[in-house]
Amino acid sequence: MSVINELRMRPAAAERRSWDASLAVRLALAVTVISTLLVGANLATPIYPLLQADLGLTPFAVTIAFASYVVALIGGLVLAGHWSDHIGRRAALVLAVVLGLLGAALFAVATSLPMLAAGRALQGGAVALATGASAAALRDLLPTRPDWASRFTLMASAGGVAAGPVIGGLLSLLPAPTRTPFIVYLVLLGSLLVPLVLLRARPAIKPAAADNPLAALRPRRPAVSRDARRSFWTASSVGFLSFAVFGFTLSLAPTWFAGIAGTSSRPLIGLLAALVLGSSAVSQLVSPRGRFVVPVGLAAMALGVGLLPLAEGTGSLPLLVGACVVAGFGQGMAFRVVFNEVSVKVDPALHAQTISAVYVITYLGSAVPVLGLGAAAGIWGLNASVTVFALAVSGVCAVLAAGSLVARLRAAR
């Protein structure tokens, strides 16, 4: 069935020749699409200082550009998080790639804050479509291994976000540093359309009604089954804190890191910005196990984030690196477990919708705290604002760690 027929939610009159890819290839394609879209969404992280200088942007303006991506992403999750259940996973991923291409192209030619915000919004819509579709596709492909489906989902997400600043920093060494990275990225992302279009798509798990197929695409309130409700709120709380830290490292942190490291090297700044996300991705491979993984992970996250102001106060680059690594590894440990607890309790037919609901709250962490931090930085300065932000996040992580420890001790009894 062609992508057009999938989007129309109509069966094809005749089966066309297509590529019946293996399970391994389908897994790799689902992971590659979402990770590549997230690379593009974070490609500009080490370039923000250049954009600030070129366009005369304030720290708050940078957070507005960053938050426009998050707001569009959250809106997309609410409006279209369930679409892949009805149009099929492949069609949803194709739409996501097309939106990602438009967003990156607009960002590449942006000459003002509104253009930056529009490009970021398109990228947010692309990631929103791909988030539910790729997570659900992995669950469909690994029906007997939901733990690995969750692990692949988090690895792709954290890995893509972590790779974006590093790749952006390296590509910014080429001529036209605010344009070239996006041109290279457009070629890479566009190439993914070839295997997606040729792929033999699997049927949608919830076909739309023949008489009114568009009704299935209407916006829905995020819904969670009663059995998964407690796990849902735990995962959402951990996700909100996690993405508050991620949002900081991907927006205002490059300027802050540059001051601590005493450098203007964009590759180095990109690497520092990627440390938290990279450590989170590595934790999915190491995969610590045990009853107390969640409280230990949250405690590690509290420690790492709490050490950030000390690294700035002492001007210690090794302490900064260590704090980022500990925070990221702890976050990955905790979020993997709580995310998997939601995934295994949800019926496959509701998986895309429920995971999208988790990410709605999770991504709010990238918008609300970071916007507040940007506004505070304009009033009290970046260093003082980051200190308050880090201590607040660290304190809440410690409270969640204590609560999780108590709950698991009670369950053990």
Side-chain angles (χ1 to χ4, degrees):
M1 185 163 61
S2 70
V3 176
I4 300 300
N5 282 326
E6 286 179 275
L7 293 174
R8 294 174 59 227
M9 292 176 283
R10 301 286 189 186
E15 184 65 32
R16 67 183 183 92
R17 294 183 62 183
S18 56
W19 174 36
D20 188 13
S22 66
L23 174 64
V25 171
R26 290 176 184 272
L27 286 170
L29 196 55
V31 169
T32 300
V33 170
I34 184 60
S35 58
T36 303
L37 286 169
L38 286 167
V39 165
N42 297 283
L43 203 63
T45 296
I47 306 172
Y48 278 135
L50 282 179
L51 291 171
Q52 275 187 265
D54 289 349
L55 304 181
L57 302 178
T58 65
F60 185 58
V62 172
T63 59
I64 288 176
F66 182 83
S68 64
Y69 159 78
V70 180
V71 170
L73 199 163
I74 292 170
L77 288 171
V78 173
L79 296 173
H82 60 292
W83 281 15
S84 73
D85 292 341
H86 307 290
I87 65 175
R89 313 301 188 204
R90 191 268 299 266
L93 292 177
V94 169
L95 275 180
V97 170
V98 171
L99 281 179
L101 288 169
L102 294 173
L106 185 56
F107 205 87
V109 299
T111 56
S112 64
L113 178 60
M115 291 182 71
L116 287 179
R120 294 288 288 162
L122 285 168
Q123 289 179 321
V127 173
L129 270 172
T131 294
S134 63
L138 290 169
R139 176 74 183 271
D140 296 344
L141 294 169
L142 297 170
T144 62
R145 297 299 304 272
D147 57 327
W148 274 101
S150 298
R151 193 173 301 177
F152 281 137
T153 298
L154 297 179
M155 283 176 58
S157 299
V161 177
V166 177
I167 296 172
L170 292 173
L171 292 178
S172 72
L173 297 177
L174 299 173
T178 60
R179 302 283 183 266
T180 304
F182 301 99
I183 295 173
V184 174
Y185 173 74
L186 283 167
V187 175
L188 174 64
L189 182 62
S191 67
L192 288 179
L193 284 175
V194 176
L196 282 174
V197 170
L198 294 177
L199 185 69
R200 180 179 297 173
R202 296 186 173 185
I205 64 170
K206 295 174 69 175
D211 56 338
N212 187 18
L214 292 180
L217 304 185
R218 289 173 182 166
R220 297 178 182 175
R221 290 189 305 172
V224 184
S225 63
R226 185 180 298 275
D227 292 340
R229 197 162 296 168
R230 183 171 182 177
S231 299
F232 169 82
W233 285 111
T234 301
S236 298
S237 299
V238 176
F240 183 92
L241 287 172
S242 302
F243 276 65
V245 177
F246 295 165
F248 161 65
T249 61
L250 297 170
S251 57
L252 292 176
T255 302
W256 192 70
F257 288 159
I260 298 174
T263 181
S264 59
S265 168
R266 290 187 294 277
L268 178 57
I269 293 172
L271 182 61
L272 290 172
L275 278 176
V276 176
L277 275 301
S279 301
S280 177
V282 169
S283 75
Q284 309 307 318
L285 296 173
V286 177
S287 178
R289 296 180 180 275
R291 184 182 302 161
F292 302 110
V293 168
V294 174
V296 170
L298 287 170
M301 186 176 169
L303 175 63
V305 175
L307 287 174
L308 289 176
L310 183 59
E312 188 278 328
T314 60
S316 173
L317 182 58
L319 182 57
L320 174 64
V321 171
C324 289
V325 170
V326 170
F329 200 89
Q331 181 276 334
M333 288 172 57
F335 195 46
R336 175 181 61 83
V337 175
V338 296
F339 185 88
N340 188 55
E341 287 174 351
V342 176
S343 182
V344 298
K345 291 181 179 180
V346 175
D347 186 270
L350 297 174
H351 192 268
Q353 187 175 351
T354 302
I355 294 303
S356 293
V358 172
Y359 275 112
V360 166
I361 299 175
T362 294
Y363 276 108
L364 278 172
S366 289
V368 178
V370 175
L371 277 173
L373 179 58
I379 300 172
W380 295 294
L382 185 58
N383 289 340
S385 301
V386 170
T387 297
V388 173
F389 168 80
L391 294 178
V393 171
S394 178
V396 177
C397 284
V399 171
L400 284 178
S404 177
L405 178 61
V406 170
R408 277 161 170 75
L409 287 174
R410 286 177 178 171
R413 292 171 186 169

PDB file of all heavy atoms in Angstrom, residues 121-140:
ATOM      1  N   ALA A 121       9.261  25.409  15.460  1.00  0.00           N
ATOM      2  CA  ALA A 121       7.919  24.859  15.628  1.00  0.00           C
ATOM      3  C   ALA A 121       7.671  23.690  14.661  1.00  0.00           C
ATOM      4  O   ALA A 121       7.084  22.677  15.033  1.00  0.00           O
ATOM      5  CB  ALA A 121       6.878  25.947  15.425  1.00  0.00           C
ATOM      6  N   LEU A 122       8.130  23.842  13.417  1.00  0.00           N
ATOM      7  CA  LEU A 122       7.983  22.751  12.454  1.00  0.00           C
ATOM      8  C   LEU A 122       8.778  21.522  12.900  1.00  0.00           C
ATOM      9  O   LEU A 122       8.312  20.385  12.769  1.00  0.00           O
ATOM     10  CB  LEU A 122       8.453  23.204  11.069  1.00  0.00           C
ATOM     11  CG  LEU A 122       7.499  24.140  10.320  1.00  0.00           C
ATOM     12  CD1 LEU A 122       8.188  24.741   9.102  1.00  0.00           C
ATOM     13  CD2 LEU A 122       6.245  23.383   9.902  1.00  0.00           C
ATOM     14  N   GLN A 123       9.972  21.761  13.436  1.00  0.00           N
ATOM     15  CA  GLN A 123      10.755  20.641  13.951  1.00  0.00           C
ATOM     16  C   GLN A 123      10.034  19.970  15.125  1.00  0.00           C
ATOM     17  O   GLN A 123      10.055  18.743  15.263  1.00  0.00           O
ATOM     18  CB  GLN A 123      12.137  21.121  14.394  1.00  0.00           C
ATOM     19  CG  GLN A 123      13.042  21.516  13.232  1.00  0.00           C
ATOM     20  CD  GLN A 123      14.400  22.008  13.715  1.00  0.00           C
ATOM     21  OE1 GLN A 123      14.506  22.702  14.719  1.00  0.00           O
ATOM     22  NE2 GLN A 123      15.448  21.640  12.987  1.00  0.00           N
ATOM     23  N   GLY A 124       9.385  20.773  15.961  1.00  0.00           N
ATOM     24  CA  GLY A 124       8.630  20.214  17.069  1.00  0.00           C
ATOM     25  C   GLY A 124       7.475  19.342  16.600  1.00  0.00           C
ATOM     26  O   GLY A 124       7.220  18.267  17.156  1.00  0.00           O
ATOM     27  N   GLY A 125       6.770  19.798  15.562  1.00  0.00           N
ATOM     28  CA  GLY A 125       5.694  18.995  15.007  1.00  0.00           C
ATOM     29  C   GLY A 125       6.194  17.680  14.438  1.00  0.00           C
ATOM     30  O   GLY A 125       5.538  16.638  14.583  1.00  0.00           O
ATOM     31  N   ALA A 126       7.370  17.720  13.808  1.00  0.00           N
ATOM     32  CA  ALA A 126       7.956  16.499  13.248  1.00  0.00           C
ATOM     33  C   ALA A 126       8.286  15.490  14.344  1.00  0.00           C
ATOM     34  O   ALA A 126       7.968  14.298  14.240  1.00  0.00           O
ATOM     35  CB  ALA A 126       9.219  16.850  12.460  1.00  0.00           C
ATOM     36  N   VAL A 127       8.913  15.964  15.407  1.00  0.00           N
ATOM     37  CA  VAL A 127       9.276  15.068  16.505  1.00  0.00           C
ATOM     38  C   VAL A 127       8.019  14.528  17.198  1.00  0.00           C
ATOM     39  O   VAL A 127       7.978  13.368  17.622  1.00  0.00           O
ATOM     40  CB  VAL A 127      10.195  15.790  17.507  1.00  0.00           C
ATOM     41  CG1 VAL A 127      10.444  14.933  18.747  1.00  0.00           C
ATOM     42  CG2 VAL A 127      11.529  16.133  16.846  1.00  0.00           C
ATOM     43  N   ALA A 128       6.975  15.355  17.292  1.00  0.00           N
ATOM     44  CA  ALA A 128       5.726  14.900  17.907  1.00  0.00           C
ATOM     45  C   ALA A 128       5.135  13.722  17.140  1.00  0.00           C
ATOM     46  O   ALA A 128       4.722  12.715  17.732  1.00  0.00           O
ATOM     47  CB  ALA A 128       4.725  16.053  17.966  1.00  0.00           C
ATOM     48  N   LEU A 129       5.071  13.839  15.816  1.00  0.00           N
ATOM     49  CA  LEU A 129       4.533  12.745  15.007  1.00  0.00           C
ATOM     50  C   LEU A 129       5.375  11.486  15.127  1.00  0.00           C
ATOM     51  O   LEU A 129       4.850  10.377  15.219  1.00  0.00           O
ATOM     52  CB  LEU A 129       4.459  13.174  13.541  1.00  0.00           C
ATOM     53  CG  LEU A 129       3.177  13.851  13.065  1.00  0.00           C
ATOM     54  CD1 LEU A 129       3.359  14.386  11.656  1.00  0.00           C
ATOM     55  CD2 LEU A 129       2.015  12.865  13.105  1.00  0.00           C
ATOM     56  N   ALA A 130       6.696  11.674  15.128  1.00  0.00           N
ATOM     57  CA  ALA A 130       7.591  10.522  15.138  1.00  0.00           C
ATOM     58  C   ALA A 130       7.687   9.866  16.501  1.00  0.00           C
ATOM     59  O   ALA A 130       7.961   8.670  16.595  1.00  0.00           O
ATOM     60  CB  ALA A 130       8.988  10.944  14.672  1.00  0.00           C
ATOM     61  N   THR A 131       7.478  10.626  17.580  1.00  0.00           N
ATOM     62  CA  THR A 131       7.653  10.072  18.926  1.00  0.00           C
ATOM     63  C   THR A 131       6.697   8.917  19.186  1.00  0.00           C
ATOM     64  O   THR A 131       7.121   7.807  19.543  1.00  0.00           O
ATOM     65  CB  THR A 131       7.446  11.171  19.990  1.00  0.00           C
ATOM     66  OG1 THR A 131       8.491  12.136  19.871  1.00  0.00           O
ATOM     67  CG2 THR A 131       7.481  10.587  21.388  1.00  0.00           C
ATOM     68  N   GLY A 132       5.394   9.166  19.025  1.00  0.00           N
ATOM     69  CA  GLY A 132       4.428   8.094  19.250  1.00  0.00           C
ATOM     70  C   GLY A 132       4.553   6.990  18.222  1.00  0.00           C
ATOM     71  O   GLY A 132       4.451   5.803  18.555  1.00  0.00           O
ATOM     72  N   ALA A 133       4.805   7.365  16.955  1.00  0.00           N
ATOM     73  CA  ALA A 133       4.863   6.362  15.889  1.00  0.00           C
ATOM     74  C   ALA A 133       6.053   5.428  16.051  1.00  0.00           C
ATOM     75  O   ALA A 133       5.928   4.206  15.894  1.00  0.00           O
ATOM     76  CB  ALA A 133       4.934   7.059  14.529  1.00  0.00           C
ATOM     77  N   SER A 134       7.218   5.974  16.361  1.00  0.00           N
ATOM     78  CA  SER A 134       8.411   5.119  16.487  1.00  0.00           C
ATOM     79  C   SER A 134       8.326   4.245  17.732  1.00  0.00           C
ATOM     80  O   SER A 134       8.671   3.054  17.686  1.00  0.00           O
ATOM     81  CB  SER A 134       9.678   5.974  16.516  1.00  0.00           C
ATOM     82  OG  SER A 134       9.692   6.818  17.643  1.00  0.00           O
ATOM     83  N   ALA A 135       7.864   4.819  18.859  1.00  0.00           N
ATOM     84  CA  ALA A 135       7.735   4.015  20.080  1.00  0.00           C
ATOM     85  C   ALA A 135       6.740   2.880  19.872  1.00  0.00           C
ATOM     86  O   ALA A 135       6.979   1.738  20.288  1.00  0.00           O
ATOM     87  CB  ALA A 135       7.303   4.896  21.249  1.00  0.00           C
ATOM     88  N   ALA A 136       5.618   3.183  19.230  1.00  0.00           N
ATOM     89  CA  ALA A 136       4.610   2.153  18.982  1.00  0.00           C
ATOM     90  C   ALA A 136       5.106   1.129  17.965  1.00  0.00           C
ATOM     91  O   ALA A 136       4.823  -0.068  18.085  1.00  0.00           O
ATOM     92  CB  ALA A 136       3.321   2.801  18.488  1.00  0.00           C
ATOM     93  N   ALA A 137       5.865   1.583  16.952  1.00  0.00           N
ATOM     94  CA  ALA A 137       6.412   0.650  15.966  1.00  0.00           C
ATOM     95  C   ALA A 137       7.369  -0.334  16.626  1.00  0.00           C
ATOM     96  O   ALA A 137       7.353  -1.539  16.332  1.00  0.00           O
ATOM     97  CB  ALA A 137       7.124   1.423  14.860  1.00  0.00           C
ATOM     98  N   LEU A 138       8.197   0.164  17.534  1.00  0.00           N
ATOM     99  CA  LEU A 138       9.121  -0.724  18.234  1.00  0.00           C
ATOM    100  C   LEU A 138       8.365  -1.726  19.102  1.00  0.00           C
ATOM    101  O   LEU A 138       8.745  -2.896  19.197  1.00  0.00           O
ATOM    102  CB  LEU A 138      10.090   0.103  19.086  1.00  0.00           C
ATOM    103  CG  LEU A 138      11.111   0.928  18.300  1.00  0.00           C
ATOM    104  CD1 LEU A 138      11.830   1.909  19.212  1.00  0.00           C
ATOM    105  CD2 LEU A 138      12.116   0.009  17.614  1.00  0.00           C
ATOM    106  N   ARG A 139       7.293  -1.266  19.731  1.00  0.00           N
ATOM    107  CA  ARG A 139       6.473  -2.181  20.535  1.00  0.00           C
ATOM    108  C   ARG A 139       5.802  -3.222  19.628  1.00  0.00           C
ATOM    109  O   ARG A 139       5.714  -4.401  19.989  1.00  0.00           O
ATOM    110  CB  ARG A 139       5.418  -1.373  21.289  1.00  0.00           C
ATOM    111  CG  ARG A 139       4.438  -2.205  22.096  1.00  0.00           C
ATOM    112  CD  ARG A 139       5.051  -2.778  23.350  1.00  0.00           C
ATOM    113  NE  ARG A 139       4.103  -3.624  24.069  1.00  0.00           N
ATOM    114  CZ  ARG A 139       3.258  -3.175  24.981  1.00  0.00           C
ATOM    115  NH1 ARG A 139       3.236  -1.891  25.307  1.00  0.00           N
ATOM    116  NH2 ARG A 139       2.437  -4.002  25.593  1.00  0.00           N
ATOM    117  N   ASP A 140       5.332  -2.813  18.446  1.00  0.00           N
ATOM    118  CA  ASP A 140       4.714  -3.752  17.511  1.00  0.00           C
ATOM    119  C   ASP A 140       5.715  -4.804  17.043  1.00  0.00           C
ATOM    120  O   ASP A 140       5.371  -5.976  16.877  1.00  0.00           O
ATOM    121  CB  ASP A 140       4.165  -3.016  16.282  1.00  0.00           C
ATOM    122  CG  ASP A 140       3.037  -2.058  16.617  1.00  0.00           C
ATOM    123  OD1 ASP A 140       2.474  -2.179  17.731  1.00  0.00           O
ATOM    124  OD2 ASP A 140       2.744  -1.179  15.794  1.00  0.00           O
TER     125      ASP A 140
END
